[in-house]
Amino acid sequence: MNLLYGLQSATRNRFLSGVNMLARRRPWTPPAGCPLAPRLPAVHANWGLRTVSHCYSVISLPRNVHFCRTLKNKRSGCLSSAQSKEMGVLTYNWTVWGDASCSPNCAAVREARSFHTSAPRQAAPVPLLMLLLKPVQKLLAIIVGRGIRKWWQALPPDKKALFKDSVKRNKWRLLLGLSAFGLLFVVFYFTHLEVSPVTGRSKLLLVGKEHFRLLSDLEYEVWMEEFKNDLLPEEDPRYLTVKKVVYHLTQCNQDVPGVSEINWVVHVVHSPKVNAFVLPNGQVFVFTGLLNSVTNMHQLSFLLGHEIAHAVLGHAAEKASLVHLLDFLGMIFLTMIWAICPRDSLAVLGQWIQSKLQEYMFDRPYSRTLEAEADKIGLQLAAKACVDVRASSVFWQQMELSESLHGYPKLPEWLSTHPSHGNRAEYLDRLIPQALKLREVCNCPPLSGPDPRLLFRLTVKHLLEDSEKENLNITVKKQKPDALPIQKQEQIPLTYVLGKRTAG
């Protein structure tokens, strides 16, 4: 699933102060005894708990898995009475967790922000900075590098020798100049580091927050122009559900730095894509394909908590800063490539290799790191909202099973900007014990029913057993027609012999 973040221009890339902040700012940690605040009575007025028996029809599998649908049509029975448990199920009535409301010990006392779908506006052009800066940098590097190569090739041999002798005589001056440049680069880097108040991790920020917020507003207009015919109305139950989940998460995490400063606005897009993303300015976009893929509200709450974490942690600005820094360094290497390579064809090949190395050694690993951090913080946001955090890893197991049943190729993780489904599930399983302790600190109601991870494993086991039985029955049925002619061939001579003996 593409969980989107960052500035998304033509290529929709996902992606901004001082050294003294390193010493003064502290990381946010879940409060030891969450501040007491009165419960908001109107937040969960319509949130009841719907429970059904654990049948194959409510198995933790995506709704678009053909294997599961076939099984549902053939069998309608539940598990044995010992295995029959109750679990929450996502339905289009959208009635959910009356007992999983935000604990008063973890809900901050703040004025509730409104949620609405803004009317589509005329899309503003994507900023010229994003469209032109990167191509202009590359073009400038290519022109300079190619010019250096042509100049060197046009030099007579005697002048080439004089130039080499001059470089040898002034090598210490050149080394000193390069060292000064490197020192300036290091100073520039460390003076643009900022410590995240949520995680305590230092991150590079090159773009001012105000400028980045402006870019986010322009990007929002572009998305609204694209989705203007696919937005669900505010009366749609799916829209109301997403709005309630986002409202629930943000109200229960008002003490987290950044949550209360953002005006969260919900948009639900009618699209089969299994996707959701939150812009840095708080615009939440959820696709109906994601709503059809989650099994219950707990999974949806974790996924939206993950996306909210991206916005709160400023991952878009951080990724954009890294991209600008790598583009600057890449421009230097690109100039060297075009200056050193004797032919343009070799320079083009070297440029392609340099871009791929940058992508797979820096861009994608960094994106995977940000995704893992959003998983961790999103799980904490969900835990403070009294969500069943155990359901988080089940979703990624569902996605992995769905892809395997559909026969999708399993690509190596290093080729993706996101961790693999299996690795995400394992990572969340390691974080779940800590999230459960956070629920206890926030005085959330105890979790009822079996562990959804255990139910999922039992379900998959039963599915595999039933599949093996069906395959065995099909194999037996195919073998029976082949056995009939053999029996007839054996009966003909036996009948003939018995007839002869009777006549004799």
Side-chain angles (χ1 to χ4, degrees), residues 356-400:
K356 292 302 176 183
L357 288 176
Q358 174 181 325
E359 180 180 1
Y360 290 105
M361 293 181 64
F362 297 99
D363 288 347
R364 300 201 176 197
Y366 200 78
S367 296
R368 292 194 294 269
T369 300
L370 297 183
E371 287 294 325
E373 185 176 70
D375 278 343
K376 179 179 180 180
I377 301 303
L379 193 66
Q380 294 179 1
L381 298 180
K384 292 186 63 180
C386 297
V387 173
D388 187 353
V389 293
R390 301 172 300 178
S392 58
S393 65
V394 176
F395 175 80
W396 295 112
Q397 295 179 57
Q398 292 174 193
M399 296 298 294
E400 186 177 31

Side-chain angles (χ1 to χ4, degrees), residues 287-304:
F287 295 81
T288 55
L290 176 65
L291 300 179
N292 294 332
S293 298
V294 297
T295 307
N296 51 47
M297 297 299 297
H298 303 289
Q299 291 184 0
L300 179 62
S301 298
F302 163 72
L303 294 175
L304 292 179

